[in-house]
Amino acid sequence: MVGNRRNLIFRVSIVINIAVLLYAALHLSGSNGPGVEWVPITVDGSERSADLPYMSRTIEFRNITETRLPDSSMKNFEESTSQKTPSTMPTTNKTASSTTSIAELEKKLHDTSSEADVTNDTLEIVDENALSDATLARLRFLLACNERDFLPQYLQRGEYWVLKNYVRADHGQVLCHETVTYTTHAGFEFLDNVLPLVERWMAPVSLAIHTPGADLLPTVNSIRYLRDCLGTNLIRQFVTFHVFFSNRRIPNKIPDPNIFLSKAYNCSVLPPFVTINANETYMKKEKLLYPVNVARNIARDSALTHFILPSDIELYPSPNLVPRFLNMIARNAKPLNTSTKPRVFPISIFEVDAKVHVPSTKTELQAMLANKTAISFHKYVCPNCHNIPQGQQWMNAKETNQMDVFHVGKRQGKYVHWEPIFIGTHQDPHYDDRLSWEGKADKMTQGYILCVKDYDFMILNNAFLIHKPGIKHYVRDPKRDTIAGKQTSYIKKIIMPELKKLFGTRTGCAL
Ligand SMILES: *[C@@H]1O[C@H](CO)[C@@H](O)[C@H](O)[C@H]1NC(C)=O
Ligand SMILES: *[C@@H]1O[C@H](CO)[C@@H](O)[C@H](O)[C@H]1NC(C)=O
Ligand SMILES: *[C@@H]1O[C@H](CO)[C@@H](O)[C@H](O)[C@H]1NC(C)=O
Ligand SMILES: *[C@@H]1O[C@H](CO)[C@@H](O)[C@H](O)[C@H]1NC(C)=O
Ligand SMILES: *[C@@H]1O[C@H](CO)[C@@H](O)[C@H](O)[C@H]1NC(C)=O
Ligand SMILES: *[C@@H]1O[C@H](CO)[C@@H](O)[C@H](O)[C@H]1NC(C)=O
Ligand SMILES: *[C@@H]1O[C@H](CO)[C@@H](O)[C@H](O)[C@H]1NC(C)=O
């Protein structure tokens, strides 16, 4: 995603050999084969590497200071969503640039295939913070992923209505190998986190917002404020908003994005996420529970990329995480190329003092850990919940100049209840839609499945997440404890037997 920002228009230049052309054309033409299992691929010296397809694509972000034609990004909101023709792509000239139609892309692949480069086994990475054409080509080959569509859609998920891609990012169609999506969720009162998050992530964000009843309107106003009033186009560029609500809490009026996006927001009015008291949302007043896993699953399922980072909106990633991670994947060194287990990539999490700034490098983080302005996540709330295998060694290890796997851990033994946040793929188990945030332990069922499936937890060396500044202390909440008690027994009595039937058991795995 990192590119030259000089030009207005996204330029696609592709060099590819015939083998990949056929393969890519197959995928691009919309055959929705089942997801590809992750198999480690030997790049060095294997037979397959002799056919290493070489594909390059230069991406140049359009000039983001350019003015936008806001009305058309949602033009197709009401249209049939089953088509995959270029006409269903966003139609502004701005987005059209990044949504080079699939037909055009295929043609491009064709036209340039004669330029196919020779096979080259060594991947030389000059800049870890950028993705070269060679890296992208290698990723395309290793991931063998399929493109996913980027259309607005009304869906149902259990009792919930989902307005998927309600407000889409301007990035347009994204190829599945070229970046990583941060998938997250919130009520509108948390939307102050969007800007600091995007400034550090600098890649697509898929955000699901719970908007029961009267919470939709302030949500829409908050989205408009974020897009129009912050003096940056980053949010327009990267963030796609989905909204959802229970079928018993359908908002009286559902604003049409075609209309509200065509009007500039009055930026002298403070956004609802600043003016609201957290206890005065419709959700709180109606005493609704927050369907955290429905939200997580919506955000995740809508992501366009092969790799996703499902996370909480208050967790800000270390800068350059995306290109560094993808360069690591493209290098495909040990243990990536030797382990045959399914894998996810956990990221270490920390809290920092309310008065300090969020660290940008591991070295800076270590200095803050030393003077106690940073601590490991939830140290004072639930000291063992987020213990990470070799966490102390991680904190002691010096920052290195490239991303690597620091340690391969398992969710067993001392870490049997570990709730890691990790980069994974669409193939990882979902979160159980029936669990609420108030009920706690909402990620445990996923953790259990990962354990039974013998996942490797490949902890990343230099990457970290920092919680929005402010160190949390444990506060007793008797109401929540009651709900948590009920949820815990529901998980044990109802969900656990289901999981055993579906996924079996493994010694050492527990909820
Ligand atoms: C972007 O476009 C604006 C207005 O069209 C222009 O003033 C500015 O110089 C451009 N920036 C770059 C980096 O091209
Ligand atoms: C898009 O660009 C073309 C020419 O480049 C122009 O004719 C057309 O009016 C533009 N469309 C919009 C919506 O601005
Ligand atoms: C392979 O890539 C390396 C580094 O990019 C380069 O020095 C070398 O010339 C390339 N070899 C071939 C055969 O293209
Ligand atoms: C924007 O809001 C401010 C404050 O409420 C108001 O004074 C101003 O007239 C509004 N501007 C427009 C163009 O509506
Ligand atoms: C909500 O919180 C504010 C202070 O944060 C308090 O003044 C107010 O009474 C609370 N409202 C309700 C309905 O609990
Ligand atoms: C894995 O990558 C390493 C480089 O880190 C290489 O030396 C090794 O041969 C590779 N192993 C396999 C099985 O391809
Ligand atoms: C702690 O360390 C950080 C990073 O070196 C520094 O910016 C900060 O001022 C230090 N704070 C205190 C209270 O020593």
Side-chain angles (χ1 to χ4, degrees):
M1 291 295 286
V2 180
N4 224 313
R5 285 153 193 244
R6 242 174 327 115
N7 292 351
L8 284 182
I9 303 291
F10 199 108
R11 186 162 57 85
V12 180
S13 86
I14 289 172
V15 186
I16 193 164
N17 71 17
I18 301 280
V20 174
L21 164 69
L22 293 174
Y23 141 81
L26 208 76
H27 288 294
L28 291 171
S29 58
S31 71
N32 285 332
V36 184
E37 284 291 333
W38 182 301
V39 230
I41 294 166
T42 316
V43 169
D44 285 337
S46 76
E47 276 185 36
R48 201 165 165 188
S49 72
D51 294 316
L52 181 70
Y54 196 96
M55 179 178 111
S56 71
R57 179 163 174 276
T58 313
I59 299 162
E60 283 169 15
F61 274 166
R62 46 189 185 275
N63 180 342
I64 56 170
T65 61
E66 183 195 3
T67 51
R68 181 166 179 279
L69 300 158
D71 58 326
S72 30
S73 83
M74 294 296 293
K75 231 171 205 151
N76 302 300
F77 195 74
E78 307 283 4
E79 279 182 24
S80 153
T81 53
S82 58
Q83 316 169 35
K84 276 200 161 186
T85 60
S87 69
T88 59
M89 296 297 173
T91 50
T92 53
N93 280 354
K94 275 193 71 161
T95 47
S97 60
S98 60
T99 52
T100 308
S101 76
I102 283 165
E104 277 172 59
L105 205 57
E106 281 183 65
K107 185 167 177 300
K108 210 92 180 193
L109 291 169
H110 239 299
D111 292 348
T112 52
S113 59
S114 55
E115 295 170 39
D117 209 327
V118 287
T119 304
N120 197 334
D121 284 345
T122 52
L123 182 63
E124 195 98 358
I125 296 170
V126 180
D127 182 359
E128 291 290 334
N129 297 334
L131 295 173
S132 69
D133 292 351
T135 300
L136 288 169
R138 190 68 63 103
L139 287 168
R140 183 86 199 169
F141 173 73
L142 288 172
L143 304 183
C145 55
N146 296 326
E147 267 59 59
R148 306 161 68 94
D149 70 36
F150 190 39
L151 304 168
Q153 225 175 340
Y154 284 80
L155 304 171
Q156 282 182 288
R157 186 165 193 125
E159 68 167 278
Y160 294 93
W161 278 100
V162 181
L163 276 55
K164 176 181 161 181
N165 294 327
Y166 184 60
V167 173
R168 284 179 292 179
D170 284 357
H171 57 56
Q173 186 68 45
V174 166
L175 299 184
C176 56
H177 67 283
E178 70 182 348
T179 185
V180 180
T181 308
Y182 188 104
T183 73
T184 190
H185 58 88
F188 73 89
E189 69 273 25
F190 286 94
L191 295 183
D192 59 316
N193 293 294
V194 176
L195 184 61
L197 170 63
V198 177
E199 281 176 337
R200 290 169 71 93
W201 184 246
M202 296 297 280
V205 174
S206 171
L207 169 54
I209 308 179
H210 182 224
T211 59
D215 282 346
L216 180 58
L217 194 58
T219 299
V220 165
N221 287 332
S222 299
I223 293 172
R224 294 179 63 192
Y225 184 91
L226 291 171
R227 289 170 57 96
D228 288 359
C229 303
L230 293 174
T232 167
N233 272 333
L234 290 177
I235 290 168
R236 286 182 175 214
Q237 178 71 18
F238 288 124
V239 185
T240 294
F241 299 89
H242 323 282
V243 297
F244 73 102
F245 35 80
S246 157
N247 55 26
R248 284 167 291 157
R249 303 287 173 171
I250 299 182
N252 286 333
K253 189 177 172 305
I254 298 177
D256 180 352
N258 284 320
I259 295 170
F260 68 74
L261 290 178
S262 69
K263 300 193 186 109
Y265 192 68
N266 182 348
C267 294
S268 56
V269 181
L270 282 174
F273 59 81
V274 170
T275 55
I276 189 84
N277 264 325
N279 56 4
E280 283 163 4
T281 61
Y282 174 89
M283 187 189 100
K284 283 281 159 59
K285 286 192 289 199
E286 294 286 310
K287 301 192 169 55
L288 305 180
L289 299 182
Y290 182 62
V292 62
N293 285 349
V294 174
R296 286 189 178 119
N297 289 334
I298 291 169
R300 194 189 123 154
D301 287 348
S302 311
L304 303 174
T305 53
H306 177 81
F307 284 115
I308 49 180
L309 170 53
S311 182
D312 290 338
I313 196 164
E314 290 180 306
L315 296 177
Y316 308 156
S318 48
N320 293 314
L321 208 161
V322 172
R324 286 169 168 259
F325 174 78
L326 290 177
N327 277 318
M328 174 192 81
I329 295 294
R331 269 194 297 275
N332 199 32
K334 268 188 182 167
L336 297 175
N337 65 350
T338 48
S339 143
T340 52
K341 305 263 163 60
R343 77 272 305 259
V344 289
F345 300 91
I347 302 178
S348 309
I349 318 175
F350 299 88
E351 282 176 62
V352 297
D353 195 273
K355 290 182 287 294
V356 302
H357 81 285
V358 180
S360 290
T361 63
K362 181 174 178 187
T363 307
E364 203 183 331
L365 169 64
Q366 285 172 316
M368 293 172 68
L369 286 165
N371 72 18
K372 305 260 188 323
T373 52
I375 57 167
S376 50
F377 189 56
H378 281 182
K379 189 170 181 169
Y380 303 135
V381 177
C382 177
N384 296 319
C385 298
H386 294 269
N387 269 354
I388 190 162
Q390 295 212 358
Q392 198 54 50
Q393 286 92 329
W394 189 97
M395 285 188 257
N396 295 338
K398 275 191 88 145
E399 181 172 1
T400 61
N401 56 15
Q402 69 180 39
M403 193 176 288
D404 281 301
V405 174
F406 181 76
H407 172 70
V408 181
K410 291 283 181 186
R411 190 180 182 269
Q412 290 183 353
K414 201 177 150 199
Y415 306 102
V416 73
H417 301 301
W418 188 24
E419 286 192 280
I421 298 232
F422 51 77
I423 296 181
T425 73
H426 291 281
Q427 272 152 39
D428 303 329
H430 278 78
Y431 306 92
D432 195 299
D433 276 348
R434 294 166 290 185
L435 304 181
S436 73
W437 177 81
E438 290 79 0
K440 301 187 180 172
D442 44 62
K443 287 197 294 222
M444 293 297 183
T445 61
Q446 188 206 42
Y448 176 78
I449 302 169
L450 293 173
C451 182
V452 171
K453 292 186 153 201
D454 204 18
Y455 266 67
D456 280 336
F457 291 81
M458 299 192 167
I459 298 156
L460 299 173
N461 64 349
N462 301 318
F464 54 87
L465 294 164
I466 302 285
H467 192 274
K468 176 185 176 177
I471 287 176
K472 272 197 199 153
H473 290 266
Y474 179 71
V475 188
R476 233 179 82 76
D477 180 349
K479 255 192 219 152
R480 193 172 168 191
D481 290 345
T482 310
I483 302 170
K486 283 190 196 147
Q487 182 149 300
T488 304
S489 88
Y490 184 82
I491 292 173
K492 288 206 175 113
K493 290 205 187 100
I494 308 287
I495 299 183
M496 200 52 196
E498 294 174 4
L499 298 184
K500 284 185 174 155
K501 279 189 201 160
L502 287 161
F503 301 99
T505 55
R506 174 183 296 273
T507 318
C509 297
L511 269 177

